[in-house]
Amino acid sequence: MFSGSIPALVTPFRNGRFDEAAFRAFVDFQIENGSSALVPCGTTGESATMSIDEHNHVVAVCIDQAAGRVPVIAGCGSNDTKVALEHMQHAKAAGAAAGLVVLPYYNRPNQDGLIAHYTYLAENCDLPIILYNVPARTVTDISVDTMATLARLPTIVGVKDASGKVERVAAQRLACGADFCQLSGNDDMALGFMAMGGVGCISVTANVAPRLCADFQAACLSGDWKGALALQDRLFPLHSALFTDASPGPVKYALSRTRPDFPVELRLPMTWPSDASRKAVDAALVHAGLV
């Protein structure tokens, strides 16, 4: 259903407000440089600091600007099941192709709770759901058996896997079926993820290097592993540098170097990355040939 390089879009803020014009231009930039789908209002988009109305507006703007050129997977997650449903219903009405729904964070449901959460969403909105497993942020981790149970629901179509456990790709493929869409949530692990049966990556690095990330994914999907390895080597320092401080600080700093007119404000509690982080990003941008 989805494949290739899919940026988890940063959200441009200017004077504390969403900069719609800059975001629309950024959507065009991503599509023109080979991104195969777009994710607004994910973690990288600072969705945790948006009001519900602002969140829904950003999603709607992304869908409107994409104008059917690529699908939009709207960030819809919440640790409140009813709020997640509200996001899904809005995203569906706006024309999203799917919702990216993170495991509930902070309240830490058990596996039965995860099944109940996603079943409720699937039964009350027919927007396709991409599960988002990111234990480093949510603490909760979905088991392979639970994922297999959820994969039986017709609208739960895939997973963004940021578990950091590449071996799960094979386990989940066997448990959920070959048609279950597995997307890497870790740029630095995407090569191994793809080799084990993944079909794409919801990427932070693609914000800065969309063409290189798209070429990397195309190489993987075509079985050109030598070409993919060369691109991985070119991109790997950037994959690492973008997480040398709290995200999305480093990626917004990188955009300040590659797109000087792009607004790079962060919303509290996020702050500008450290000097060491900025130096790491600078070096990685040079290594990748982006500056």
Side-chain angles (χ1 to χ4, degrees):
M1 189 172 187
F2 304 103
S3 63
S5 179
I6 304 170
L9 298 171
V10 300
T11 306
F13 299 113
R14 195 184 299 274
N15 299 322
R17 296 190 173 189
F18 169 54
D19 188 330
E20 182 173 325
F23 189 63
R24 287 183 179 275
F26 194 54
V27 167
D28 287 343
F29 167 71
Q30 289 293 332
I31 295 171
E32 290 162 3
N33 281 279
S35 297
S36 57
L38 303 171
V39 176
C41 294
T43 307
T44 310
E46 297 175 81
S47 59
T49 59
M50 293 182 188
S51 69
I52 290 177
D53 287 345
E54 186 177 38
H55 179 124
N56 290 342
H57 178 59
V58 172
V59 167
V61 168
C62 185
I63 294 166
D64 180 68
Q65 191 64 26
R69 291 175 289 171
V70 298
V72 173
I73 305 169
C76 292
S78 174
N79 62 344
D80 180 336
T81 304
K82 290 187 177 180
V83 171
L85 179 62
E86 289 177 19
H87 284 314
M88 286 180 58
Q89 290 169 334
H90 176 273
K92 177 178 169 58
L100 180 66
V101 183
V102 70
L103 271 63
Y105 41 86
Y106 188 74
N107 34 17
R108 297 174 59 190
N110 60 20
Q111 299 299 304
D112 288 342
L114 294 178
I115 291 171
H117 175 76
Y118 285 106
T119 299
Y120 180 89
L121 297 176
E123 288 178 345
N124 286 278
C125 183
D126 62 359
L127 182 71
I129 293 171
I130 301 288
L131 308 172
Y132 179 17
N133 190 30
V134 55
R137 288 188 179 272
T138 65
V139 182
T140 305
D141 189 5
I142 188 169
S143 72
V144 174
D145 288 343
T146 296
M147 193 176 296
T149 297
L150 292 173
R152 298 187 191 109
L153 298 173
T155 57
I156 295 185
V157 299
V159 62
K160 174 185 175 182
D161 189 328
S163 67
K165 299 179 179 179
V166 178
E167 69 275 11
R168 285 195 178 181
V169 183
Q172 290 162 179
R173 181 180 176 85
L174 293 172
C176 301
D179 292 335
F180 192 69
C181 178
Q182 294 199 67
L183 303 168
S184 175
N186 297 99
D187 281 294
D188 58 350
M189 298 182 182
L191 181 59
F193 193 98
M194 296 295 289
M196 293 190 70
V199 295
C201 180
I202 295 180
S203 169
V204 174
T205 304
N207 280 282
V208 184
R211 175 54 62 188
L212 290 176
C213 290
D215 289 349
F216 167 79
Q217 285 293 327
C220 291
L221 290 166
S222 69
D224 177 13
W225 299 111
K226 183 177 180 180
L229 182 59
L231 286 163
Q232 170 80 350
D233 288 348
R234 185 173 172 184
L235 285 166
F236 188 81
L238 187 58
H239 296 332
S240 298
L242 294 181
F243 287 90
T244 50
D245 209 332
S247 183
V251 68
K252 282 196 164 180
Y253 171 69
L255 284 167
S256 78
R257 297 290 320 283
T258 59
R259 292 176 64 82
D261 295 332
F262 190 84
V264 292
E265 290 179 16
L266 294 155
R267 282 190 170 170
L268 291 173
M270 309 313 293
T271 56
W272 201 234
S274 68
D275 182 63
S277 177
R278 297 196 304 272
K279 287 179 179 177
V281 170
D282 288 339
L285 290 172
V286 171
H287 181 84
L290 294 169
V291 292

